[in-house]
Amino acid sequence: MEVLLPRSLDEALDLAAAHPEAVPVAGGTDVMVEINMDHARPEILMDVSRLSELARCDREDGQLFLGAGVTYTRIMRELPEATALVQASRSVGSPQIRNRGTVGGNLGTASPAGDALPVLAAMGSEVVLVAAGGRTRSLPWDAFLTGVKRNALEPGELILGARWRVPRGPGSFSKIGTRTAMVISVASVCLQIDDDERTVHVALGSVAPTVIRAPEAESAVAVALDRAGAWDDPAATIGAADAEAFAELVAAAARPIDDVRGTAAYRRHACRVLARRALAWALADRRAEAA
Ligand SMILES: Cc1cc2nc3c(=O)[nH]c(=O)nc-3n(C[C@H](O)[C@H](O)[C@H](O)COP(=O)(O)OP(=O)(O)OC[C@H]3O[C@@H](n4cnc5c(N)ncnc54)[C@H](O)[C@@H]3O)c2cc1C
């Protein structure tokens, strides 16, 4: 096996153009498992973990750009304001995995169980791709994630990072697994309130071929918040029936399957419970901030 060790993004992109079959490796926490289990035997690996251009984390004009090579440990240390992303990062694997694993790797693997992905979906993020000559293109998260472990990356391209507008309002990520730590999610939910846009975004992981949003639930809860006057007065809240209807719509948006980690019925139930909790936390945070 040949291993390419580029020292700059330009060099990496030239190598990727010359060897489109080369498999990029960032933290290697997915790639090396595939190789160790003999599920893949790439002829060429390209280490992208040393590229400082992928390790950037920039805040600009109310937007956050998260480089593909930023690890979960760095997110936890350096982005405390990105609450949901920090919570998702904390839930990934073990400290060793979080020290090596990156959001770019999560996007590259494109598993519906990737824990960073519901956060990127709830934020309505764009995935930025780059190719030789510095050609970049940005795809909305749902155009990038095309299926189970499939994405829109073309040969010769690298993931530069993801970008989103930072919303003003509370948000959270939570997941259910078969145990409490070191676990692939059976279902996960990211909920984000945007007080400027007066919207609630909800994204689900592990319950469909890709991460999905729950648009009917999002609209229904935004209307309920409006009816309750909660957009103008964070101390106001919605009734139990509206919260339950929201959780029901989130569960209805899921398209789960039965597999070794859980049944479709359990996953749908998990979505209902996680959604109800996430909404309660977010509304409590808004009330606490207003008090
Ligand atoms: C023990 C263990 C526990 C885990 N627990 C979790 C968990 O709880 N939650 C979770 O979501 N995941 C988990 N994972 C999976 C893995 O850690 C994550 O998916 C992680 O985000 C992968 O990042 P990486 O940098 O290690 O990716 P790598 O293994 O280096 O790469 C993964 C894929 O992305 C591609 N890639 C990486 N960077 C780029 C780039 N810049 N441009 C183009 N392609 C790129 C690679 O070619 C490959 O296809 C676990 C893995 C292990 C081994």
Side-chain angles (χ1 to χ4, degrees):
M1 191 182 288
E2 199 178 335
V3 180
L4 307 174
L5 296 172
R7 298 289 168 166
S8 70
L9 181 61
D10 283 345
E11 190 188 350
L13 294 171
D14 288 343
L15 286 168
H19 306 280
E21 73 283 21
V23 174
V25 192
T29 60
D30 280 325
V31 170
M32 295 314 293
V33 172
E34 289 291 293
I35 294 174
N36 288 344
M37 306 285 283
D38 232 356
H39 293 159
R41 186 64 42 187
E43 286 186 4
I44 310 181
L45 290 177
M46 180 165 70
D47 178 16
V48 296
S49 69
R50 302 156 196 236
L51 305 180
S52 57
E53 297 90 336
L54 302 188
R56 284 172 32 217
C57 213
D58 297 334
R59 300 160 179 92
E60 213 178 274
D61 295 337
Q63 294 210 326
L64 180 68
F65 178 84
L66 181 71
V70 179
T71 62
Y72 298 108
T73 298
R74 278 192 57 206
I75 291 170
M76 288 156 55
R77 284 195 190 134
E78 297 173 29
L79 291 173
E81 74 275 25
T83 311
L85 188 62
V86 168
Q87 289 171 347
S89 301
R90 254 196 236 125
S91 84
V92 171
S94 60
Q96 294 89 334
I97 297 295
R98 296 194 285 271
N99 285 344
R100 293 291 309 171
T102 63
V103 171
N106 223 219
L107 282 164
T109 297
S111 161
D115 286 323
L117 306 182
V119 182
L120 299 189
M123 299 301 162
S125 63
E126 288 191 332
V127 181
V128 185
L129 308 175
V130 61
R135 278 180 297 115
T136 60
R137 63 182 180 122
S138 296
L139 294 178
W141 66 273
D142 51 344
F144 179 78
L145 299 169
T146 53
V148 179
K149 299 201 171 181
R150 288 212 326 266
N151 62 42
L153 197 65
E154 287 180 358
E157 277 184 323
L158 288 176
I159 304 166
L160 191 62
R163 180 188 299 121
W164 62 92
R165 189 180 56 76
V166 179
R168 187 175 61 81
S172 69
F173 169 89
S174 48
K175 79 184 191 189
I176 286 181
T178 49
R179 54 180 186 242
T180 45
M182 274 289 282
V183 70
I184 300 176
S185 65
V186 174
S188 65
V189 167
C190 179
L191 180 145
Q192 180 64 49
I193 292 191
D194 186 328
D195 271 304
D196 293 320
E197 304 252 313
R198 300 191 165 196
T199 55
V200 180
H201 288 179
V202 185
L204 311 177
S206 285
V207 294
T210 62
V211 167
I212 54 168
R213 290 265 293 267
E216 288 180 19
E218 292 179 354
S219 315
V221 73
V223 168
L225 286 165
D226 196 38
R227 242 191 347 255
W231 290 122
D232 293 314
D233 175 13
T237 193
I238 62 172
D242 282 330
E244 203 48 50
F246 164 72
E248 222 32 77
L249 285 170
V250 171
R255 289 181 276 124
I257 54 164
D258 294 338
D259 72 9
V260 287
R261 298 200 303 279
T263 63
Y266 178 68
R267 288 188 148 102
R268 214 181 272 286
H269 175 66
C271 287
R272 189 180 297 116
V273 172
L274 291 175
R276 196 192 299 124
R277 277 186 205 154
L279 181 63
W281 290 331
L283 297 182
D285 283 352
R286 286 176 91 239
R287 282 196 300 276
E289 197 149 309

